Amino acid sequence: MNIHPNKFIDEIIQNLIKNDAITLAKLLNLKNQKFNKLYFGDDSKEYLRDKFSNSSNRIYSWTEVISNYVLARNSLYNQDYINSFELMSKSFKSLIELIKEAKEENWQLPILFQMSVDLRLLAYTCDSRHRQDFETEQDKETNAESSNQDQYAEKTAESLMICFRNLCTDTRSESQVSKRWGMMHIINQLFKIYFKINKINLCNPLKRVIENSGMKDAFPISHQIVYKFYVGRQAMFENDYNTAADYFEFAFRNCPSKYIRNKKIILVYLIPVNMLRGYMPNQDLLLKYDLKPFAEIVNAVKQGNIQKFNNDMIEYEDFFIESGVYLFLEKLKMTTYRNLFKKLAKLLNTAQIPIEEFVNVLKFLDEDDMDNDICQCILSNLIFEGKIKGYISYKHNKLVVNKDFKAAFPRLTTINPNK
């Protein structure tokens, strides 16, 4: 769609007059393909200045926001991402001040939400290009530069924190016009940045604000889904798998079915967490969301096939690392050992299993480095984790378990996964 820049400016002003923030957010969205060829020449810039100068004071107050936005879009058109980011930052900060000064109204929040997303994505682009430039330099100082490789994401986080503080201090407005309704969206943008730049600990004070706000369950459901997803990921990194599962399940359950990609992303984290808790996913679910790598791992764990588990982890290593779940899936190796040992114990039909039998089976399954000492360590860890009820008789080099194999190998769902 080719729209004349002056017509675009007219639409902005018309929607400002109507306080139509939803339409304005769509217009100002930098990713809106309808306007990807939009460029503002000198005549259009002059037209913008005249239109705002001749408007009411309320409309005129948006001059800095829109002027910097227009310049940012021009720089983006010219692929000058750094300059575009700086101008978008100015536009965003002007919007923060404008919203701060507006009393008893919050209609501008959808615009703030869109600009916060655009600024974050633009920051990622700038940082990515900065890293590429850095990597192509011949004489670079790694230690000096490496700490600066997320500088634009960090600048965005600073702007978002200013925004967040202004929103959460609006405690006197009536509930329906409170700017506090924007808190969770801004926190979600901060979460995304902190996870990307590996500063997850900075999420904690933001979480406390939401938990103590009295509004946690009242924010728009779309905001809650993103919030729960990231809080779930943090709980996952803290090995609090039960809490993580609760948050991921909320996010998956409430994410609309049409957003298949988003539901798949949630499952990528929910599946390993549930597997660590002893809950194996349904194969139909994995097929529906095209998650074959998980289907293979599930089969290996269930079968106690340590050879298949190791091979699948190698085959799908890139996918698991890119998804950020590789280390969590590695923990399932112990569950795979447990299931293998359970099968062997049943096969031998004895409560006193020679450790040598375990070693032989593991070597047969390509665990070439396996020996008696390593096997004893594996069994000791399984006993400590509660996955096997028994003890090792070092004198006789045997694993001694309850004659009732159900008691000796309790259901994984009954074991505390956080141990």
Side-chain angles (χ1 to χ4, degrees), residues 265-301:
I265 291 171
I266 297 167
L267 280 177
V268 164
Y269 294 94
L270 176 58
I271 289 168
V273 164
N274 274 344
M275 288 178 72
L276 287 165
R277 297 167 66 230
Y279 298 96
M280 299 298 157
N282 184 292
Q283 290 290 332
D284 291 338
L285 181 72
L286 299 177
L287 184 64
K288 178 180 178 180
Y289 290 96
D290 190 25
L291 289 169
K292 180 186 175 183
F294 287 107
E296 298 297 336
I297 293 293
V298 168
N299 288 333
V301 173

Side-chain angles (χ1 to χ4, degrees), residues 42 77 82 102 140 168 175 203 235 275 318 332 384 395 414:
D42 291 338
Y77 180 88
I82 305 299
K140 57 197 180 212
C168 66
S175 175
C203 297
M275 288 178 72
D318 291 342
L332 290 168
F384 173 76
K395 181 178 179 180
T414 65

Side-chain angles (χ1 to χ4, degrees), residues 47-245:
Y47 182 79
L48 184 150
R49 284 192 291 271
D50 289 343
K51 290 291 287 187
F52 277 91
S53 295
N54 295 320
S55 297
S56 65
N57 288 338
R58 187 177 71 82
I59 304 301
Y60 179 75
S61 65
W62 284 80
T63 304
E64 285 297 311
V65 177
I66 303 303
S67 295
N68 283 309
Y69 166 82
V70 161
L71 295 175
R73 184 174 271 284
N74 278 0
S75 293
L76 194 61
Y77 180 88
N78 293 324
Q79 296 187 345
D80 185 352
Y81 299 103
I82 305 299
N83 194 48
S84 181
F85 173 82
E86 298 297 344
L87 290 163
M88 273 300 290
S89 293
K90 288 182 180 179
S91 179
F92 185 67
K93 289 174 182 176
S94 296
L95 179 60
I96 294 170
E97 285 301 312
L98 188 149
I99 293 175
K100 179 183 176 182
E101 295 300 320
K103 305 300 179 185
E104 295 294 329
E105 61 180 26
N106 64 1
W107 67 270
Q108 310 94 333
L109 288 180
I111 305 169
L112 185 75
F113 297 162
Q114 184 59 58
M115 291 187 75
S116 67
V117 172
D118 285 341
L119 188 61
R120 175 177 58 80
L121 295 177
L122 197 50
Y124 291 169
T125 301
C126 292
D127 283 331
S128 175
R129 295 197 168 243
H130 174 70
R131 279 190 287 273
Q132 289 172 10
D133 292 342
F134 171 67
E135 287 164 4
T136 56
E137 289 175 7
Q138 294 300 314
D139 43 18
K140 57 197 180 212
E141 306 224 349
T142 304
N143 292 334
E145 292 284 345
S146 60
S147 61
N148 210 25
Q149 289 187 2
D150 295 310
Q151 60 175 310
Y152 295 100
E154 291 182 352
K155 284 182 180 179
T156 300
E158 291 171 7
S159 297
L160 290 169
M161 277 304 301
I162 293 170
C163 177
F164 172 69
R165 292 189 191 102
N166 284 331
L167 295 176
C168 66
T169 54
D170 184 26
T171 56
R172 296 186 179 182
S173 297
E174 293 291 329
S175 175
Q176 64 270 23
V177 292
S178 174
K179 300 175 182 69
R180 285 162 59 83
W181 291 112
M183 291 192 302
M184 187 172 279
H185 175 90
I186 298 301
I187 283 178
N188 289 342
Q189 301 309 306
L190 284 163
F191 279 178
K192 291 179 180 184
I193 291 174
Y194 292 152
F195 271 83
K196 190 171 183 67
I197 66 176
N198 198 27
K199 293 187 176 180
I200 303 174
N201 61 303
L202 296 178
C203 297
N204 291 327
L206 300 174
K207 266 188 347 187
R208 286 194 290 271
V209 172
I210 293 297
E211 297 301 317
N212 298 326
S213 67
M215 303 165 64
K216 184 177 73 169
D217 299 323
F219 287 100
I221 194 66
S222 60
H223 297 185
Q224 290 188 53
I225 290 168
V226 178
Y227 177 81
K228 300 265 186 173
F229 172 72
Y230 279 98
V231 174
R233 283 186 65 186
Q234 186 179 20
M236 187 177 180
F237 281 113
E238 293 170 351
N239 297 325
D240 187 355
Y241 301 127
N242 289 328
T243 299

Side-chain angles (χ1 to χ4, degrees), residues 32-48:
N32 192 330
Q33 293 299 311
K34 292 181 180 179
F35 311 123
N36 62 347
K37 294 184 179 179
L38 193 61
Y39 185 85
F40 298 84
D42 291 338
D43 290 344
S44 295
K45 292 176 192 173
E46 184 65 32
Y47 182 79
L48 184 150

